[in-house]
Amino acid sequence: MALRSAEIAVGEVHEQVLVDDLTRTQIVQYAGASGDYNPLHTDDVYAREAAGYPGVFSHGMLVMGLTARAVTDWVGDGRLTRYGVRFKSQVWPGDRLTARVTVAGLRDDDGVGLVDLDVVTLNERGEEVIAGYATARVD
Amino acid sequence: MEQFTFPVEAGHILLFARSVGDPNPIYHDEEQAGKSEVGGIIAPPTFVQAASQYDPDYHLRPRIGEPWFGSGRTPSGVSEPASGGGRLHAEQHFEYFRPLRPGDVLTVTSTPGKTWEKTGRRGGKLVFEEHVTEYRDAAGELVVRARGVGVRPEKPVEQEAN
């Protein structure tokens, strides 16, 4: 069920809620699975008292991982050729995150059809927490 | 240059997919994945980041018998925690040459890239450092190339990691 280029329109937008209420437990799950045990993300005492933050906050890579779902749910599995983001704002427990994937263009690379996507994820205040791009093969 | 081996395992992919909130059966259900276009379980797009589990020198994993900078009896287990909490992630980019599958044994090679400095919006100095990491399979073929940019703020950042 891969995407077909004929069915894609430049400017088309797909929005997907990634998480309604980001929990500290999910951040802990990501720490365990990824191996990034930076206590800034999982240890509230450290984050507040040693590092000077209001509390723990998400790994940027958790947000990038959550956002990937919005891309792959739409373009299909194993079709990405590139995916990149800048981390723009911190993501905190309780945040609601929505990904917005916009078709930036369609092109042909040596007979391989590609779709270029702009990818942003917004928090409940409408702030971009990550912004980047993805490219996927299309039929 | 740092180099280590990253064995890609089905259980690790399952746990990682859960941790990024993705219930897609392509990441855990062999039967359904087998009927799909990719023909079997693959790893999610950001899974290579979990290679750090196998990096012997990874500094964000506690080491047995050594002080850890997170809290225990005191807010930090080291006397002088990094000001601003250490390095934060500013950018991450991946290029994919084929999907990762359980059974792949990847050789991970990381090389430092550029470094540059910027002044943050609240006046602190931000030091950016780039790393390029290549993930090659047993045949030596490039599977994923990653470019990460880290930033080391002098004080805690608030929305200014760029």
Side-chain angles (χ1 to χ4, degrees):
Chain A
M1 39 164 266
L3 270 185
R4 303 166 64 86
S5 57
E7 294 163 356
I8 304 170
V10 174
E12 193 177 336
V13 179
H14 287 250
E15 270 196 11
Q16 186 166 327
V17 175
L18 303 172
V19 61
D20 180 53
D21 176 1
L22 181 69
T23 61
R24 290 167 183 82
T25 303
Q26 181 154 11
I27 297 171
V28 168
Q29 254 186 309
Y30 185 78
S34 70
D36 180 344
Y37 298 99
N38 190 335
L40 278 179
H41 305 306
T42 56
D43 181 340
D44 215 54
V45 173
Y46 172 83
R48 284 185 285 108
E49 297 179 27
Y53 285 94
V56 294
F57 55 95
S58 172
H59 306 75
M61 287 307 298
L62 169 54
V63 183
M64 187 177 187
L66 290 164
T67 302
R69 180 184 173 193
V71 179
T72 53
D73 275 0
W74 188 49
V75 302
D77 301 318
R79 292 213 155 227
L80 282 184
T81 62
R82 53 177 211 140
Y83 175 37
V85 302
R86 292 172 68 212
F87 301 99
K88 302 188 69 178
S89 286
Q90 280 157 306
V91 168
W92 303 93
D95 278 0
R96 174 188 166 90
L97 301 178
T98 305
R100 184 182 293 156
V101 179
T102 308
V103 177
L106 284 158
R107 59 196 164 98
D108 181 285
D109 181 25
D110 260 341
V112 179
L114 296 172
V115 61
D116 291 313
L117 306 167
D118 291 333
V119 180
V120 298
T121 291
L122 307 151
N123 63 19
E124 66 279 14
R125 293 176 295 281
E127 297 159 347
E128 291 186 0
V129 293
I130 62 173
Y133 58 85
T135 299
R137 283 182 295 106
V138 289
D139 290 340
Chain B
M1 185 180 85
E2 292 175 42
Q3 188 167 302
F4 60 92
T5 300
F6 172 34
V8 177
E9 294 168 351
H12 195 188
I13 293 174
L14 165 85
L15 298 179
F16 188 88
R18 282 183 184 160
S19 82
V20 293
D22 197 329
N24 189 338
I26 202 78
Y27 303 134
H28 63 86
D29 185 328
E30 189 60 64
E31 199 186 324
Q32 280 208 52
K35 292 182 212 152
S36 73
E37 182 187 54
V38 287
I41 288 173
I42 61 171
T46 63
F47 179 71
V48 287
Q49 203 69 10
S52 61
Q53 297 277 16
Y54 295 91
D55 178 351
D57 300 319
Y58 190 58
H59 65 294
L60 296 175
R61 176 179 65 239
R63 290 175 192 236
I64 297 162
E66 290 182 24
W68 171 242
F69 67 107
S71 68
R73 281 191 290 269
T74 55
S76 178
V78 298
S79 52
E80 283 182 42
S83 154
R87 189 169 170 275
L88 297 175
H89 211 155
E91 294 177 40
Q92 184 66 39
H93 306 268
F94 296 112
E95 287 172 82
Y96 304 103
F97 300 92
R98 69 161 172 85
L100 267 65
R101 299 174 188 274
D104 277 328
V105 178
L106 303 176
T107 299
V108 183
T109 310
S110 188
T111 38
K114 294 178 294 186
T115 61
W116 64 97
E117 283 183 15
K118 264 170 77 173
T119 304
R121 270 169 260 163
R122 290 189 300 148
K125 190 174 76 174
L126 303 170
V127 181
F128 292 83
E129 298 168 328
E130 184 183 65
H131 268 85
V132 177
T133 307
E134 291 191 342
Y135 302 80
R136 287 180 184 273
D137 64 17
E141 296 291 327
L142 188 57
V143 181
V144 177
R145 184 189 288 123
R147 185 168 66 83
V149 179
V151 60
R152 214 172 44 240
E154 283 181 323
K155 52 188 178 182
V157 288
E158 206 168 7
Q159 327 263 307
E160 71 169 14
N162 293 279

